[in-house]
Amino acid sequence: MSNKLIDFQNISKTYGMQTVLDDFNLYIRENEFLTLLGPSGCGKTTTLRILGGFETPDAGRVIFDGKDITDLPPNKRQLNTVFQKYALFTHMTIAENIAFGLKIKNKSKQYIHDKIKYALKLVNLDGYENRMPDSLSGGQQQRIAIARAIVNEPKVLLLDEPLGALDLKLRQDMQYELIRLKNELGITFLYVTHDQEEALTMSDTIVVMNQGYIQQIGTPEMIYNEPENAFVADFIGESNIISATMVEDRLVKILGVNFPCVDEGFGQNKPVDVVIRPEDIDLLKPGEGSIDGVVTHLIFKGVHYEMEVMANNYEWLVHSTDMFPVGTQVSIHVDPFDIQIMKKPESEDEEAVNIEE
Amino acid sequence: MKSKRLLAGPYLFWSVSFVIIPLLVIVYYAFTSDGGTFTLANLSQITTPENLKALGISLLLSFISTLVCLILAYPLAMILSQKQVNQTSFIVLIFILPMWMNFLLRTMAWQTLLEKNGVINSILGFLHLPALEIINTPYAIILGMVYNFLPFMVLPIYNVLIKIDPNVLNAARDLGANPVQTFLKVTFPLSIPGVISGITMVFVPALTTFVISDLLGGGKILLIGNVIEQSFKQNSNWHVGSGLSLVLMIFIIASMALVAKYDKGEGGTAF
Ligand SMILES: Nc1ncnc2c1ncn2[C@@H]1O[C@H](COP(=O)(O)OP(=O)(O)O)[C@@H](O)[C@H]1O
Ligand SMILES: [Mg+2]
């Protein structure tokens, strides 16, 4: 995981009046599972299409394995795409679908035959050679689309929300399948999704995007535990995002109450945003914690209870395995390392601005 | 359920009175002689040398016309299908506009254009170019057929092409196919149902037309349609006309069955 396999350099793309990507920079290392994560319409597919060769950037270069491929047509690029809605060839059998790329490259009959067998085994669909795509379920079609791509031994596999059309159970199974595939094949994955859980489960690196700008790049743990701004915190999982004041290093005033924390370097008496994950809040007896309040909502979620606690005019979202009925007087406690401090954006616009890498 | 079935009433009435009954009448006339006795003589009229020749020319000219239509229509449909939607509707409109004019008028217009001293030859003469002498030849008939039936080839092909998911074509490119390979291996096979509908919709009217050959062939070239028309109108022999019609119908049904069978083999769904 060292050298840059793919390097987007200063990519810009505009459709009519709409700027989708503006001076976009990102590199992907060899064997990395990198996920572009962001809300619908933030430019994920556009980024993928530029790498696949289906879209030409207005400015900037795409470097692949040290070579500039910006002007190369899709069929000359050593990467393969798994499209959002499978895009199988409905007039061909499964075997013909998988053989498509190999036949174009004039591989021998024996080689193609072996590859089809191998790929179908890999995606757990042995024996489906002579079926037509229409006779397969969505999950099966998606696996064929993956098989069709990987038999070409691409250096990079691009996947555009490949699990988007599947139901929850199947989606979770496929997530494990993809991780397994990645480990078995040792190729680089560029994955696109708007589903934060999917991104957290599978990725080595997550790139959080909003309106064409990168918000944060990091490992799933970093993105979840140390979101760099309110957008990331809000997008990744549920959280309490509260305006606060950084009194001094390692002390933050939240809703008028001083909380010890572990962050430094924000200056004195500076406005900040704090993020506190619902599962990081402990509910104690009144008077024992930092802020007293009362439970206003209670929902059983299976693994935990979800509660809302009204304290100092703020509805705190709390996840706990202990149950506190509505009306219970409680006190909120947060450990210092569970408080994540973020620089406040100076204006609304800045919320969508490119961060420094 | 019952009330829904009633809704089919008007259509049933229509098809019984204007399709099924006339068809039965034709079958009756085809198999009877003037005196009303059963005979196969009307059907075997097709084997007279003149009628066989007319059928042969009809098959040949409609085959050529269908082929020319296909060659012209496919690229046109492809260009149309790749345009943006609003742009397309305008282009499609321009293209369909002539269809709103009466078929007879359009064909007569060609007659005027192609005549020995017609518009085209006047212009050619003015430019000191040799005159075009295709009026009253099979070429003029092919021209008339292609001109009149081309839209029926373009539209079904256009309809299947716009339904192809662009990502399916992208997938082909992604897997290493160049644009020509993508067309041959993906676009064209996926469009076969439209091509077959187009062929049907051009070949059948071309095979049975008598107006185009009347106007542009100058009555010198008899198509099977003209023969049938003459038996009904000039000779007032409904029996022979019906017999020939029936034979022609069998020809059409047989060729469509052939096409449908081929289509099934390809996994398409034109019918
Ligand atoms: N071909 C196109 N023409 C015009 N606008 C487009 C086109 N493709 C994408 N867009 C616009 O660009 C923005 C980003 O799209 P996309 O990259 O598909 O987002 P995402 O995949 O993150 O949902 C969207 O607002 C979309 O409407
Ligand atoms: Mg998308």
Side-chain angles (χ1 to χ4, degrees), chain A residues 179-190:
Chain A
I179 297 170
R180 182 177 62 83
L181 273 181
K182 195 245 157 183
N183 292 335
E184 272 179 40
L185 298 171
I187 52 179
T188 309
F189 275 53
L190 176 55

Side-chain angles (χ1 to χ4, degrees), chain B residues 3 32 42 69 75 81 94 109 155 160 163 165 169 179 191 200 224 232 241 257:
Chain B
S3 59
T32 51
N42 299 319
C69 277
S81 70
I94 288 186
L155 288 180
V160 289
K163 284 197 200 105
D165 176 2
L169 306 182
S191 71
T200 315
I224 191 70
F232 275 105

